[in-house]
Amino acid sequence: MTATGAEPAKTFEPGAIWPDDHGVHINAHGGGILLHKGAYYWCGEHKIEGGAGNVAQVGVHVYSSRDLYQWHDEGIALKVADDPASEITRECVMERPKVLYNEPTGKFVMWFHLELKGRGYGWARSGMAVADTVTGPYRYLGSVRPNAGVWPDNVPEEFRKPLTPAEKETLSKTSLPGGPVPHFPQELIFRRDFEGGQMARDMTLFQDDDGKAYHIYSSEENGTLHISQLSADFLKPAGKYVRVFPGRFNEAPALFKHGGTYYLITSGCTGWAPNAARLAVAESILGPWRELGNPCEGPEAQRRITFDSQSTFVLPAPGRKNAYIFMADRWRPGNAIDGRYVWLPVQFKDGKPFLAWMDRWDLGLFKE
Ligand code: GAL
């Protein structure tokens, strides 16, 4: 029995209310999970009731668990600031926080998508915060538009130059609303942003077996994903990055590695409304990446909207080989706090990952 008298959870119920150890629905949206010293730490966006919950009123919430079913409320890891002059003042946009442990410095490093209060999604930066303990408190360090002054690795020499006045003119006449456009100006936006740094909206972090960490973010007005290596202390870009799928408008990136192969699950760009997930594969994290289509199986009505959810993270399952949990959000923009979590097992058919709906499941499913 828990403190609330309820039976402790031993299963995952995608889309249901997920009570924490106080019986309160878990409040960690767009989050990620870090395994540290045998415990799991889930950091995500704390939402409040109503439409007001779509911007950051509180900060990043953290929970801990040993079994992934029962979650202990560890409170707010990173608080919004009271100071109206702060970049992270209350009512800024603080989305998709992810935390890594940096072995060399012994620090926990958090990255998240940051937009200034009242300015929509135009700022397109990543914020960084650091803590000595995994649950925080995290100290805000600042924000970045990654890779200022650095050309992407996978761009030919001929495009490594500033925009000409004619190209600037073309771009100023192109409408870029943050979603698919008929003729995405593929070779213009990263060049426009070369000096000031690349746009970074939806994002995730991924640490590879060799210890190197990567920041994966929707860039170029959401048109192109960038995969960017982080510095050894994980606090800034290392100055090495690639462009992935220019003009495909991927967001909500979630990356995992299985048997030496890298997989990337993303969504299209339709705001809070769900759309069809996309799967991609690569033998090296810096590419080349190849699209494999929609990983969801089942009725078309569900495949089309990823079971009414949008990807946020893929977690290797505890103590099991080749077992991964797809974590997604079922957003409720009308009452943000009521957003639900859709966790599904990543299953494999002929070596290819797929996702199928389950009303209820547990980690026993991964036993071969
Ligand atoms: C989604 C994005 C969310 C949030 C939302 C705002 O596409 O994945 O993280 O930014 O748009 O409309």
Side-chain angles (χ1 to χ4, degrees):
M1 293 288 228
T2 63
T4 60
E7 278 298 319
K10 292 193 185 70
T11 57
F12 303 114
E13 262 189 80
I17 290 284
W18 285 18
D20 66 7
D21 58 340
H22 299 120
V24 177
H25 182 48
I26 291 172
N27 202 336
H29 310 267
I33 292 181
L34 176 71
L35 172 62
H36 187 71
K37 295 198 171 147
Y40 289 87
Y41 296 89
W42 178 359
C43 281
E45 303 160 29
H46 179 104
K47 305 261 190 193
I48 66 162
E49 281 168 14
N54 294 319
V55 293
Q57 307 283 357
V58 176
V60 175
H61 206 134
V62 56
Y63 296 82
S64 64
S65 174
R66 296 228 159 230
D67 62 7
L68 296 175
Y69 303 119
Q70 295 169 57
W71 291 92
H72 172 60
D73 183 359
E74 299 275 3
I76 302 303
L78 173 66
K79 283 195 174 73
V80 295
D82 292 323
D83 176 3
S86 166
E87 293 183 348
I88 60 161
T89 195
R90 186 169 294 106
E91 296 186 9
C92 66
V93 166
M94 200 183 252
E95 290 179 342
R96 298 184 176 273
K98 304 289 179 289
V99 171
L100 292 179
Y101 176 62
N102 186 265
E103 188 88 46
T105 61
K107 303 273 186 203
F108 295 89
V109 180
M110 180 190 290
W111 285 67
F112 54 92
H113 171 196
L114 178 63
E115 300 287 347
L116 291 179
K117 175 183 173 179
R119 305 262 200 95
Y121 280 82
W123 212 39
R125 293 170 81 93
S126 294
M128 293 84 69
V130 70
D132 294 322
T133 51
V134 57
T135 53
Y138 285 76
R139 188 166 52 86
Y140 180 61
L141 295 178
S143 66
V144 69
R145 273 208 175 184
N147 296 309
V150 183
W151 293 114
D153 264 19
N154 59 347
V155 158
E157 207 49 50
E158 56 181 305
F159 294 122
R160 297 180 181 218
K161 54 177 190 233
L163 295 181
T164 64
E167 285 171 330
K168 278 189 190 157
E169 177 77 9
T170 306
L171 205 46
S172 72
K173 290 188 187 137
T174 310
S175 154
L176 294 162
V181 290
H183 304 287
F184 181 69
Q186 285 207 17
E187 314 306 346
L188 300 188
I189 298 168
F190 72 92
R191 290 167 53 210
R192 176 197 70 189
D193 293 338
F194 173 76
E195 232 174 284
Q198 301 294 323
M199 295 174 82
R201 290 199 182 111
D202 276 14
M203 56 141 280
T204 194
L205 299 179
F206 174 78
Q207 187 172 13
D208 210 339
D209 312 326
D210 62 4
K212 285 184 185 148
Y214 298 85
H215 178 209
I216 299 117
Y217 51 91
S218 300
S219 194
E220 304 179 26
E221 309 283 352
N222 287 354
T224 306
L225 281 172
H226 288 186
I227 299 183
S228 169
Q229 197 181 314
L230 292 181
S231 58
D233 59 9
F234 300 170
L235 295 177
K236 51 183 188 301
K240 183 178 184 63
Y241 72 112
V242 291
R243 305 172 68 222
V244 178
F245 304 135
R248 275 290 279 147
F249 286 84
N250 284 290
E251 58 180 16
L255 203 149
F256 67 106
K257 187 179 188 181
H258 166 65
T261 299
Y262 299 84
Y263 294 96
L264 179 64
I265 301 179
T266 60
S267 74
C269 293
T270 52
W272 302 116
N275 55 57
R278 300 141 176 215
L279 174 68
V281 65
E283 295 311 319
S284 149
I285 189 162
L286 296 179
W289 285 86
R290 186 163 55 89
E291 288 202 63
L292 295 178
N294 184 344
C296 300
E297 293 207 340
E300 187 50 31
Q302 290 195 358
R303 296 184 68 237
R304 222 166 18 84
I305 54 168
T306 313
F307 316 109
D308 192 7
S309 72
Q310 185 184 30
S311 44
T312 186
F313 200 69
V314 175
L315 175 72
R320 290 155 209 267
K321 266 185 141 181
N322 306 330
Y324 308 87
I325 300 173
F326 169 74
M327 294 169 49
D329 291 282
R330 184 173 288 175
W331 304 111
R332 289 287 179 263
N335 185 22
I337 196 172
D338 192 37
R340 305 298 174 91
Y341 310 104
V342 172
W343 289 14
L344 293 169
V346 176
Q347 303 184 73
F348 291 87
K349 203 189 308 174
D350 303 326
K352 189 180 150 195
F354 73 93
L355 304 167
W357 178 256
M358 296 195 180
D359 288 335
R360 182 190 288 263
W361 64 284
D362 62 56
L363 295 168
L365 178 137
F366 291 121
K367 280 199 206 107
E368 298 282 275

